[in-house]
């Protein structure tokens, strides 16, 4: 029996988010033969026919943890709530087709406020060609809680897991990284200024790109389509929600492989560099450890090198190695540094 007064209780912070998930689900087994993949990837996979599967993923967004309504417009929040879930479907090499949306609200919210939120939801659904098919509403004692479930589909043979990376595979990334974290730092700085001096207007001049990366991310279905058009199926894939270092470590752990990536190959927007200089945060730190970019990190067979190297918006940043070699970054000066999971992690101290 659980005794909340026992002295030997384990704080959740000791396990962290992913350790807690592993701990809580370690005894669960799949009883339904149609479940192809349960817990442990960007989405669950279940068979709907001999050749087709559906993909299901769900996420929580909690006011004060994932978003701050002092600088996040509700319309943008509605859009982002959809996009972050669709990104998980694309990370499985699938196509999203529906979502459910559940929202818990405190008494501070008005009908007009929720109209703005759902306007953002509708814009995202229209843009990504997905249907809102259900959900729930409830009251909340504190703030706003959002739960979105996204459903996608794929041919069974096309699904890509985190666990398929092989030695010598190329490590690739779409777009650039660090922008969403840089945008968050800018917004947090301006919030702090406003709280001290409510009459001061926020100074976001020259920061449109990074603020946009934070407030209105996009899911990279275009990259999935581009790979398919070029006859390339990734061997492993994940979306960058927790940070490049953390998410690469997820792939390596589940694939039982190591990796080597190169600092001078990581795409970082010039605005991120300027924000880093302004705030005293190295741009590389933001690129490796900042989350919420929602780019795709994936591995492909070396045989696709000629196609990948000329593919617009995709960069080769390293290669997969044997597990014993570890997961390392080669810096611009040639030093080798072990990568650590320092990105977003719920429950950490």
């Amino acid at each position: 029996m659980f005794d909340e007064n026992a002295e030997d209780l384990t704080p959740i912070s000791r396990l962290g988010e992913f350790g807690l998930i592993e701990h809580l689900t370690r005894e669960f087994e799949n009883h339904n033969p149609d479940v192809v993949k349960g817990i442990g990837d960007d989405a669950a996979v279940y068979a709907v026919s001999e050749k087709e599967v559906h993909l299901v993923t769900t996420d929580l967004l909690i006011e004060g943890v994932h978003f701050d309504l002092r600088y996040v417009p509700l319309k943008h929040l509605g859009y982002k709530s959809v996009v972050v879930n669709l990104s998980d479907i694309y990370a499985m090499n699938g196509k999203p087709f529906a979502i459910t949306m559940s929202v818990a609200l405190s008494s501070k919210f008005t009908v007009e406020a929720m109209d703005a939120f759902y306007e953002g939801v509708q814009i995202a659904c229209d843009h990504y060609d997905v249907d809102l098919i259900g959900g729930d509403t409830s009251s909340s004692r504190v703030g706003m809680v959002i739960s979105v479930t996204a459903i996608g589909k794929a041919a069974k043979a096309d699904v890509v897991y985190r666990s398929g990376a092989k030695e010598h595979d190329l490590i690739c990334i779409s777009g650039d990284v660090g922008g969403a974290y840089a945008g968050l730092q800018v917004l947090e700085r301006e919030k702090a200024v406003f709280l001290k001096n409510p009459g001061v207007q926020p100074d976001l001049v020259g920061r449109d790109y990074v603020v946009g990366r934070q407030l209105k991310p996009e899911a990279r279905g275009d990259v999935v389509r581009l790979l398919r058009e070029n006859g390339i199926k990734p061997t492993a894939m994940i979306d960058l929600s927790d940070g490049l270092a953390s998410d690469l470590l997820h792939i390596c752990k589940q694939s039982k492989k190591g990796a080597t990536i190169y600092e001078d190959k990581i795409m970082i927007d010039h605005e991120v560099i300027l924000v880093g200089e302004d705030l005293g945060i190295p741009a590389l730190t933001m690129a490796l450890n900042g989350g919420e970019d929602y780019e795709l990190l994936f591995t492909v067979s070396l045989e696709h090198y000629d196609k990948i190297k000329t593919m617009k918006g995709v960069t080769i940043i390293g290669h997969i190695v044997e597990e014993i070699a570890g997961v390392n970054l080669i810096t611009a000066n040639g030093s080798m540094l072990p990568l650590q999971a320092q990105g977003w992690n719920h429950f950490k101290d």
Side-chain angles (χ1 to χ4, degrees), residues 253-310:
K253 179 179 180 180
Q254 295 202 25
S255 297
K256 295 182 172 56
K257 294 291 184 290
T260 301
I261 62 172
Y262 298 84
E263 177 184 358
D264 58 3
K265 301 295 184 182
I266 299 172
M267 298 298 292
I268 303 174
D269 189 85
H270 184 61
E271 208 170 288
V272 176
I273 297 172
L274 294 178
V275 170
E277 293 173 348
D278 192 23
L279 299 180
I281 306 173
L284 180 63
T285 297
M286 291 190 281
L288 290 175
N289 302 318
E292 295 195 296
D293 286 309
Y294 297 105
E295 297 293 345
L296 291 176
L297 174 68
F298 57 96
T299 58
V300 299
S301 172
L302 187 58
E303 67 183 84
H304 296 305
Y305 174 76
D306 288 336
K307 290 181 179 179
I308 287 288
K309 72 175 182 180
T310 59

Side-chain angles (χ1 to χ4, degrees), residues 3-313:
D3 178 6
E4 63 180 9
N5 297 312
E7 295 183 357
D8 59 346
L9 296 178
T10 305
I12 291 177
S13 59
R14 186 177 300 171
L15 299 182
E17 177 185 2
F18 302 105
L20 178 64
I21 292 171
E22 290 180 4
H23 175 80
L24 295 177
T25 62
R26 67 192 187 280
E27 300 296 333
F28 282 77
E29 297 179 357
N30 295 331
H31 302 292
N32 190 324
D34 290 333
V35 176
V36 180
K37 175 68 176 180
I39 298 164
D41 217 299
D42 285 278
V45 182
Y46 69 92
V48 293
S49 71
E50 186 177 337
K51 295 184 178 181
E52 185 179 8
V53 297
H54 279 183
L55 311 164
V56 182
T57 183
T58 189
D59 269 321
L60 280 173
L61 291 90
I62 300 171
E63 184 177 354
V65 178
H66 299 95
F67 59 90
D68 188 330
L69 291 177
R70 282 172 288 195
Y71 55 72
V72 177
L74 281 164
K75 183 176 177 181
H76 286 71
L77 179 61
Y79 189 93
K80 184 174 181 177
S81 299
V82 176
V83 166
V84 300
N85 282 270
L86 302 187
S87 182
D88 284 333
I89 300 295
Y90 289 126
M92 303 293 293
N93 206 33
K95 184 184 187 307
F97 66 86
I99 63 164
T100 63
M101 170 76 67
S102 297
V103 183
L105 303 166
S106 68
S107 59
K108 73 179 181 180
F109 290 91
T110 64
V111 171
E112 289 76 14
M114 295 315 296
D115 282 342
F117 176 80
Y118 271 86
E119 183 181 358
V121 172
Q122 184 174 6
I123 291 172
C125 287
D126 290 344
H127 180 68
Y128 289 96
D129 193 25
V130 301
D131 298 327
L132 174 62
I133 60 171
D136 193 16
T137 56
S138 178
S139 61
S140 168
R141 294 287 182 90
V142 286
M144 184 180 193
V145 178
I146 305 162
S147 176
V148 180
T149 296
I151 308 167
K153 59 185 176 181
K156 190 173 184 179
D158 289 342
V159 177
V160 175
Y161 301 95
R162 299 176 182 178
S163 57
K166 298 176 176 58
E167 196 173 341
H168 307 303
D169 279 356
L170 304 172
I171 301 171
C172 308
I173 191 169
S174 66
D176 56 79
V177 288
Y181 183 79
L184 177 63
Q185 299 312 303
V186 169
L187 291 167
E188 285 287 340
R189 179 191 64 185
E190 295 307 309
K191 181 186 79 172
V193 172
F194 174 78
L195 291 176
K196 289 183 178 180
N197 303 284
V200 176
Q201 292 297 310
D203 180 13
L204 303 177
V205 176
R207 301 294 179 257
D208 291 352
Y209 180 71
V210 296
V211 170
R213 291 283 279 177
Q214 171 58 220
L215 296 182
K216 188 176 177 290
E218 299 292 351
R220 299 308 306 267
D222 58 323
V223 175
V224 171
R225 289 189 294 272
L226 184 61
L227 291 169
R228 188 173 294 123
E229 289 167 1
N230 281 272
I232 299 173
K233 178 187 174 183
T235 52
M237 188 153 56
I238 191 172
D239 74 326
L240 293 180
S241 56
D242 300 320
L244 174 57
S246 293
D247 290 322
L248 178 58
L249 285 164
H250 287 321
I251 285 180
C252 290
K253 179 179 180 180
Q254 295 202 25
S255 297
K256 295 182 172 56
K257 294 291 184 290
T260 301
I261 62 172
Y262 298 84
E263 177 184 358
D264 58 3
K265 301 295 184 182
I266 299 172
M267 298 298 292
I268 303 174
D269 189 85
H270 184 61
E271 208 170 288
V272 176
I273 297 172
L274 294 178
V275 170
E277 293 173 348
D278 192 23
L279 299 180
I281 306 173
L284 180 63
T285 297
M286 291 190 281
L288 290 175
N289 302 318
E292 295 195 296
D293 286 309
Y294 297 105
E295 297 293 345
L296 291 176
L297 174 68
F298 57 96
T299 58
V300 299
S301 172
L302 187 58
E303 67 183 84
H304 296 305
Y305 174 76
D306 288 336
K307 290 181 179 179
I308 287 288
K309 72 175 182 180
T310 59
M311 195 171 289
K312 186 176 179 179

